[in-house]
């Protein structure tokens, strides 16, 4: 009996659990990828509205807040990927609408903040 066969029979249940976990993470990543377009469209609408707010602020000599801009930017680079990772590794079943609905709304909202408080003078 080959060595691989002995290892496979000894750890058969552990291998089955690892394969099921890998399948589940892959399935959840596919679900997360299918939500890309709604999240992207809300992000784009927040971006365009924020840039129009920025143009208004520049004309009216409004205040510039780099702190708000950077906090919104950090959410995009840290919060969005962490929410997707959290969804992929949850040990229980949850509807993607509970995760990605609020995620899409906050993405649009934070992109609006990010581009509204973008630098006045480039």
């Amino acid at each position: 009996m080959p060595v691989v066969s002995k290892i496979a029979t000894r750890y058969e249940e552990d291998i089955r659990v690892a394969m099921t976990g890998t399948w589940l993470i892959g399935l959840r990543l596919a679900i997360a990828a299918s939500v890309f377009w709604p999240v992207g469209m809300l992000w784009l609408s927040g971006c365009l509205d924020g840039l129009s707010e920025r143009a208004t602020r520049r004309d009216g000599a409004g205040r510039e807040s780099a702190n708000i801009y950077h906090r919104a930017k950090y959410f995009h680079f840290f919060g969005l990927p962490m929410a997707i990772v959290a969804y992929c590794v949850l040990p229980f079943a949850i509807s993607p609408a509970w995760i990605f609905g609020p995620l899409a709304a906050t993405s649009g909202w934070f992109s609006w903040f990010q581009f509204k408080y973008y630098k006045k003078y480039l």
Side-chain angles (χ1 to χ4, degrees):
M1 190 181 250
V3 175
V4 175
S5 177
K6 289 179 186 178
I7 293 173
T9 56
R10 182 181 298 162
Y11 297 108
E12 181 180 356
E13 185 63 29
D14 296 335
I15 292 170
R16 185 175 293 128
V17 168
M19 289 174 66
T20 303
T22 304
W23 174 80
L24 182 62
I25 288 175
L27 179 67
R28 288 185 175 182
L29 275 174
I31 291 170
S34 70
V35 182
F36 172 74
W37 288 109
V39 171
M41 294 310 271
L42 282 172
W43 180 85
L44 183 64
S45 67
C47 170
L48 295 175
D49 190 37
L51 287 174
S52 67
E53 291 274 341
R54 175 181 176 258
T56 304
R57 183 176 50 86
R58 284 182 65 192
D59 287 342
R63 77 180 187 97
E64 181 176 328
S65 178
N67 191 24
I68 295 174
Y69 167 77
H70 287 295
R71 294 295 174 232
K73 184 178 72 170
Y74 294 151
F75 171 76
H76 281 114
F77 289 114
F78 181 73
L80 291 174
M82 289 307 294
I84 292 172
V85 167
Y87 172 70
C88 287
V89 298
L90 282 175
F92 51 87
I94 188 169
S95 173
W98 285 97
I99 300 289
F100 295 112
L103 186 71
T106 55
S107 175
W109 190 49
F110 277 111
S111 69
W112 177 73
F113 268 114
Q114 182 179 357
F115 288 101
K116 178 181 178 182
Y117 290 106
Y118 195 62
K119 292 180 180 181
K120 282 192 331 188
Y121 308 108
L122 293 177

